[in-house]
Amino acid sequence: MINYSYPLYRPPAEANNIILQVTHGCSYNHCSFCSMYKSKKFEIKALEEVYQEIDTLAQSYPQAKKVFLADGDALCLETSHLLEILKYLKKSFTKLSRVSVYATAQNLLEKSDSELALLKDNLLNLIYFGIETGNEVLLKKITKGVNAQQIIRSLQKATKAGMKTSTTVILGIGGVAYTKEHIKDTAVLINQTEVTYLSTLQLGLDEDAKRGFFKHFDDFNMLTDTQVLDEQRRFLELLEPKNKVIFRSNHASNALHLAGTFPKDKQRLINEVRQALEIGEAALVPEMFRGF
Ligand code: SF4
C-alpha cells in the first residue's frame, strides 16, 4: 500500500512509470501563477518510509525501468539523501534505466558540478524544469525567485553533468503588455542552453492562483488564442538552438498541438501555426477540453 499525499502531480511523459513521492509539496512554493502545492506544507519524507514504498512497488512492478521522484522540486534534497534513494532504487529495480525529477534553477545552482555528476552516475538522468520566461521583468512579476542568467547557468550545469533536460515555456505569461519582450528574451535564453526537450504551454490561471498573480502583475491582460498563436509563431521563428531539440506543444492547455524536432522541422512548425492563424477557431482545441 502506497501512502501518496494528494494533490500529486507528475509530468505527462511519466504516466506509465513508477511515481515515488520523496517530498511533499514544493520547497519554494512562491511562483505566483502556480497553485499546485499551495495546499501542502513542504516536508521531506523519512527514508525508512521511502524504502518501504520502494519495496512495495518493486514487488508489484519488478520489471519497471523508469521512476519519477515527486513532489514539486525533489532535487532540493541533500545529495547524500538522494543518493541513498537512488542506490535503493537500483538495488530494487534491476532493469532501472532512468530516474527523473522536477527541479528549479535554485536546486541545480545549490549543487556542485561533482554532486550533479554523481547523481547522474546513479541514474538521476532527466530533469523537468519550468523556464516560463526569459524576460527579467516578467521573472520578477511571476516571483520565480531567479533571473535569466541563473536559469541559463542552472541548465548548463545539468547539461554538463550529462543530464537530459525537459523544459517548459508559458505562452501568454507576459499578457498583452509584455508579449514582445517575453518571446524575444525567452528565445534568446533557450538559444544559450542545450535543452533536450522543449515544450510550450498556454497560460491558464485557476481561482487559487489569480489573487497572488495579479498582486504582482496589475497591468496584466490575458492574450486571446490568436495572440497566443502569434507568440508561438514568433517564438519558433527566433529559436536557433545549438543542439537538436525535441519540441512539443501538446499539453492539455494548448489551443494548437504541435510536435517536431529542431532544427529539422522548424519551418514546418511555423507553417502549421500560420495555417491555424488563417483558419481561426476551427483549427483549435475547443476551450472546454483544455486545462492548465
Ligand atoms: S512552478 Fe514549480 S517551483 Fe514554482 S511554486 Fe510551482 S512547483 Fe514550485
Side-chain angles (χ1 to χ4, degrees), residues 26 28-31 33-34 37 104 144:
C26 166
Y28 179 62
N29 215 12
H30 287 305
C31 300
F33 59 90
C34 169
Y37 302 105
T104 62
K144 193 71 190 160

Side-chain angles (χ1 to χ4, degrees), residues 191-217:
N191 293 346
Q192 292 176 70
T193 64
E194 289 169 76
V195 301
T196 321
Y197 306 97
L198 171 65
S199 301
T200 47
L201 318 180
Q202 183 166 335
L203 180 71
L205 290 171
D206 63 27
E207 289 307 316
D208 289 345
K210 274 182 183 165
R211 204 155 60 96
F213 185 81
F214 292 123
K215 193 170 123 196
H216 300 278
F217 205 154

Side-chain angles (χ1 to χ4, degrees), residues 244-256:
K244 182 176 127 182
V245 174
I246 296 168
F247 175 82
R248 296 284 182 270
S249 184
N250 57 3
H251 183 252
S253 62
N254 292 113
L256 177 71

